[in-house]
Amino acid sequence: MEEIDRRIVTLLAADGRMSFTDLAKETGLSVSAVHQRVRRLEKRGVIRGYSALIDHDAIGLPLTAFVSIKPIDPSAADDAPDRLLHLTAVEACHSVAGDESYILKVRVESPIALEHLLQQIRAAANVSTRTTIVLSTPFEHRTPDLGTGPG
Amino acid sequence: MEEIDRRIVTLLAADGRMSFTDLAKETGLSVSAVHQRVRRLEKRGVIRGYSALIDHDAIGLPLTAFVSIKPIDPSAADDAPDRLLHLTAVEACHSVAGDESYILKVRVESPIALEHLLQQIRAAANVSTRTTIVLSTPFEHRTPDLGTGPG
DNA sequence: GATGAAACTCCATGACT
DNA sequence: AGTCATGGAGTTTCATC
């Protein structure tokens, strides 16, 4: 990927609603050239989508936790992600190296809701869980610094 | 927060560039009423901003890891987040309950870059680190289901 | 790939209920 | 809080280079 595309990606990662007009000003291109590039980045999957960043406290999901899971039967099919998809409290699922197989990031309303969710996770994916509760989040969703590229 | 605001938040979390016109159609309100609500949600901090979701493989940061950190001197001032802010590879920093004090999410170019970053983290915050490498990410950034509210 | 212009759609604000 | 009206911006497409 090239310099101007990197700049566009950086700008849109920092402000997902920036207008094409402003992107054009920032990049020195015409509006239609920027438009074309953004559409191409979307089509190529470099830009996967756009999202509003939400204050989870404000929407009634103040409790965040990381849940590491491990299959109870190590010989069973490893389809945990599929089995957890329906649990909307599970915001992310990462397959990881190490003693456990996945790390989930979950957002719930309360400790009771977390307890219930853990039961659901264990039942749905036939796993044991280890939970780390988030006390506060100094920062999150920071935009990568794409600098001037590899090289 | 009330029903229509929840709906607006859900829609914008799923598509951060949705137009006010479409939000109006989805909510049954007029464009200006939606406009007013979105601005209020932004002002109240319920919506903290907007971001493009990026494919990290495509931008040359294919290696994700979780780094748990623990202070080497437990009596020292706990200002790790401040000390890590300048490391742009650190995408998120969560204070957590448990044996370790923070979990960081980092994105780097390569194993060598991770090694270098870990050295920087240890030096900057005077901590020990424990790193869990992400092999793949079945899903991430899922939108919360705000349903019809608490109750 | 980039550009400028045209047609169209959307945004943002003010007057009013 | 909401609607409607409106002028100003922003978006999208197209012919052209």
Side-chain angles (χ1 to χ4, degrees):
Chain A
M1 209 179 38
E2 160 258 302
E3 180 61 21
I4 294 182
D5 282 348
R6 262 199 304 277
R7 180 127 185 76
I8 290 173
V9 166
T10 302
L11 289 164
L12 284 175
D15 176 5
R17 280 183 87 93
M18 182 175 283
S19 70
F20 292 104
T21 306
D22 285 349
L23 287 170
K25 283 174 194 161
E26 294 285 342
T27 56
L29 292 183
S30 68
V31 172
S32 32
V34 168
H35 184 267
Q36 194 173 231
R37 277 171 181 263
V38 171
R39 291 293 175 251
R40 199 183 53 199
L41 289 165
E42 289 169 356
K43 196 171 177 185
R44 288 181 183 166
V46 178
I47 295 174
R48 301 170 95 101
Y50 302 89
S51 181
L53 305 177
I54 303 306
D55 179 344
H56 288 82
D57 289 0
I59 60 170
L61 296 172
L63 208 176
T64 300
F66 290 100
V67 179
S68 300
I69 68 176
K70 187 159 34 171
I72 285 172
D73 174 2
S75 69
D78 184 3
D79 53 357
D82 291 345
R83 293 176 174 278
L84 297 172
L85 261 180
H86 69 105
L87 299 173
T88 56
V90 181
E91 183 182 298
C93 172
H94 303 274
S95 166
V96 293
D99 188 43
E100 285 138 336
S101 44
Y102 295 94
I103 293 180
L104 315 178
K105 184 179 182 184
V106 307
R107 307 260 194 193
V108 292
E109 177 196 335
S110 62
I112 288 284
L114 180 57
E115 180 178 34
H116 183 223
L117 176 65
L118 291 172
Q119 290 165 357
Q120 290 185 297
I121 290 171
R122 289 191 283 256
N126 194 34
V127 292
S128 63
T129 62
R130 184 175 61 85
T131 301
T132 302
I133 291 197
V134 171
L135 303 171
S136 72
T137 296
F139 56 86
E140 197 178 14
H141 304 308
R142 284 212 306 179
T143 286
D145 175 15
L146 299 186
T148 158
Chain B
M1 209 179 39
E2 159 255 305
E3 181 60 21
I4 294 182
D5 281 349
R6 261 199 304 277
R7 180 128 185 76
I8 290 172
V9 166
T10 302
L11 288 164
L12 284 174
D15 177 4
R17 277 183 92 90
M18 182 175 282
S19 71
F20 291 102
T21 305
D22 285 349
L23 286 170
K25 283 173 193 160
E26 293 283 344
T27 56
L29 292 183
S30 68
V31 173
S32 31
V34 168
H35 185 268
Q36 195 172 226
R37 277 171 183 264
V38 171
R39 290 294 175 251
R40 198 183 53 198
L41 289 165
E42 289 169 356
K43 196 171 177 185
R44 288 182 181 166
V46 177
I47 295 173
R48 300 168 97 100
Y50 301 89
S51 182
L53 304 178
I54 304 306
D55 179 344
H56 288 82
D57 290 0
I59 60 171
L61 297 172
L63 209 177
T64 300
F66 290 99
V67 180
S68 300
I69 68 176
K70 189 157 39 171
I72 286 171
D73 174 2
S75 69
D78 182 5
D79 53 359
D82 291 344
R83 292 175 174 279
L84 297 172
L85 260 180
H86 69 105
L87 299 173
T88 57
V90 182
E91 183 184 296
C93 172
H94 303 273
S95 166
V96 293
D99 188 43
E100 284 139 337
S101 44
Y102 295 93
I103 292 180
L104 315 178
K105 184 180 184 184
V106 307
R107 307 259 195 195
V108 292
E109 176 196 338
S110 63
I112 288 285
L114 179 58
E115 179 177 35
H116 185 222
L117 176 65
L118 291 171
Q119 290 165 356
Q120 289 184 299
I121 289 171
R122 288 192 283 257
N126 195 34
V127 292
S128 61
T129 62
R130 183 175 62 86
T131 300
T132 302
I133 291 197
V134 172
L135 303 172
S136 71
T137 296
F139 56 86
E140 196 177 16
H141 304 310
R142 284 213 307 179
T143 287
D145 174 16
L146 300 186
T148 157

